[in-house]
Amino acid sequence: MSVVAKGGEQWTNHVLFCDYLRYHESDARAYASLKMTLASQYRHDRTTYMSRKGPLINRAILCKAYRWRNT
């Protein structure tokens, strides 16, 4: 769980990310699969889990989400 300011950059990114995944099933499946794999590999190392998950979120899905929002 995390707390962010409503309307701030982190809030906007989170809402956009979730909205995008609701409409793009293949990316949602890829994200879920990555999370499951990483969770089993790093079940006792949250820092590594988060750092390994980050590139897919930030470079792939979030970039697509911003393009999707602007179409």
Side-chain angles (χ1 to χ4, degrees):
M1 182 196 299
S2 59
V3 177
V4 298
K6 185 175 182 179
E9 181 180 2
Q10 288 180 315
W11 182 83
T12 300
N13 287 346
H14 178 75
V15 171
L16 180 60
F17 182 80
C18 292
D19 287 349
Y20 175 82
L21 290 181
R22 283 186 194 99
Y23 287 92
H24 297 87
E25 191 174 315
S26 64
D27 284 331
R29 280 194 308 271
Y31 178 61
S33 176
L34 175 68
K35 284 182 62 158
M36 295 298 288
T37 299
L38 293 175
S40 68
Q41 290 175 344
Y42 303 107
R43 80 178 109 247
H44 301 294
D45 184 356
R46 183 150 177 84
T47 301
T48 302
Y49 167 81
M50 295 298 289
S51 70
R52 301 290 170 117
K53 190 173 72 158
L56 177 67
I57 294 170
N58 295 325
R59 293 191 191 122
I61 296 176
L62 199 53
C63 288
K64 289 180 183 181
Y66 271 96
R67 286 194 304 267
W68 171 71
R69 181 185 72 174
N70 293 324
T71 58

